[in-house]
Amino acid sequence: MRKAARRQSPEWALEVFDRAPFVTVSMCRPDGTPYGLPLSLVRKDDTTFYFHCADEGEKIDCLIENPVVSLSAVSKCTPVFEEATLNYTEHYRSAIAVGRCERVVDRAEKIEALRLLCERFLPKYMNHFEAAIARSLDRTNVIRITLTEPPVGKSKPAPEK
């Protein structure tokens, strides 16, 4: 018997975001056309995510015009051919969320966000963190995404044997 996709809890969805190597952040360009890109995000708590970027560029232009974004992540995706039913399918874990972006201007919060990013993606190199902050904090842009509704998770697990 084939298993249908299951809706999961917001807590489960947050774990998908935590495990995903990147999160696709979708936004609108000033002309109204869509713009989505994969970013390395880190989650601070149940409603707060951060990423860093340059002070200028297309994503900054988009976020100034309209700070509302959609997040999408997949932490596991396995294409499968089910011999018994001759069915093509995928087993997956995914999550989506909607939030609002804002530039972080508070120095302490910027450092905290950058520390969280480094701890998530390069934990072996934390001994270099303070020197990097001293060298580049003032020219590093940090964006906070605050979720405006609970995240939604879905999964289609492999059938039990």
Side-chain angles (χ1 to χ4, degrees):
M1 177 164 142
R2 290 183 8 205
K3 289 193 174 189
R6 289 190 221 159
R7 188 175 176 116
Q8 301 289 348
S9 71
E11 296 77 21
W12 187 94
L14 290 171
E15 288 182 25
V16 170
F17 284 117
D18 291 344
R19 292 181 182 178
F22 61 86
V23 175
T24 299
V25 179
S26 298
M27 54 195 80
C28 288
R29 291 183 174 112
D31 68 2
T33 58
Y35 182 61
L37 64 160
L39 296 173
S40 299
L41 265 60
V42 67
R43 182 169 66 93
K44 176 185 174 184
D45 55 37
D46 289 352
T47 60
T48 310
F49 290 80
Y50 293 105
F51 67 90
H52 79 291
C53 60
D55 278 335
E56 56 186 40
E58 189 164 17
K59 81 178 143 280
I60 294 299
D61 295 343
C62 293
L63 298 176
I64 288 169
E65 183 74 20
N66 181 356
V68 177
V69 295
S70 174
L71 309 179
S72 174
V74 177
S75 66
K76 179 181 182 180
C77 183
T78 307
V80 175
F81 180 74
E82 297 171 333
E83 293 280 345
T85 59
L86 303 177
N87 186 49
Y88 297 88
T89 191
E90 286 186 320
H91 300 151
Y92 63 89
R93 295 178 184 169
S94 66
I96 59 170
V98 175
R100 186 171 189 85
C101 291
E102 187 174 4
R103 280 188 201 213
V104 175
V105 294
D106 178 75
R107 186 174 178 82
E109 185 180 0
K110 273 180 81 170
I111 293 170
E112 176 188 25
L114 293 168
R115 184 180 306 281
L116 290 170
L117 283 160
C118 288
E119 286 172 346
R120 176 168 185 213
F121 293 104
L122 293 166
K124 293 180 184 178
Y125 300 96
M126 290 307 295
N127 57 320
H128 300 287
F129 181 78
E130 295 301 328
I133 288 296
R135 206 172 40 252
S136 62
L137 182 65
D138 292 334
R139 65 177 188 267
T140 301
N141 201 17
V142 174
I143 305 294
R144 177 191 328 106
I145 300 172
T146 304
L147 299 186
T148 55
E149 54 190 65
V152 175
K154 280 196 170 183
S155 69
K156 184 175 180 188
E160 296 179 19
K161 295 180 183 183

